[in-house]
Amino acid sequence: MATCELCGNDYDKAFELILDGQSHVFDSFECAIQAIAPRCEHCGCRIIGHGLEKGGVFYCCAHCAQQEGVTELHDRA
Ligand SMILES: [Zn+2]
Ligand SMILES: [Zn+2]
């Protein structure tokens, strides 16, 4: 039995994620995404795919990166 650290739900199928050596426990992927997925700097959406990163700032796609003036990032299709 573990307790989701985001919503506090006690759930027997909760799972653990290790991020930067720290353990996080969630009852669902939705809670995990809410808690730890980075946000696109431009549009604010949660990045749950690969995304793009430049200087510690995340973007969901090359288009958003370009809107923020980052021109060297391209989607890796
Ligand atoms: Zn939860
Ligand atoms: Zn975006």
Side-chain angles (χ1 to χ4, degrees), residues 9-77:
N9 187 27
D10 268 327
Y11 186 43
D12 62 356
K13 293 184 179 60
F15 59 93
E16 185 181 26
L17 278 178
I18 309 291
L19 191 74
D20 289 334
Q22 281 195 302
S23 157
H24 298 268
V25 176
F26 301 104
D27 64 335
S28 66
F29 281 108
E30 184 173 358
C31 286
I33 289 165
Q34 282 275 342
I36 59 179
R39 272 181 187 276
C40 174
E41 184 72 11
H42 180 67
C43 70
C45 73
R46 292 288 182 188
I47 300 166
I48 55 174
H50 289 290
L52 298 163
E53 186 196 347
K54 169 72 181 160
V57 177
F58 292 88
Y59 304 99
C60 67
C61 61
H63 175 78
C64 282
Q66 277 164 23
Q67 297 295 306
E68 295 293 318
V70 179
T71 53
E72 68 266 43
L73 293 176
H74 298 281
D75 283 322
R76 280 167 284 187

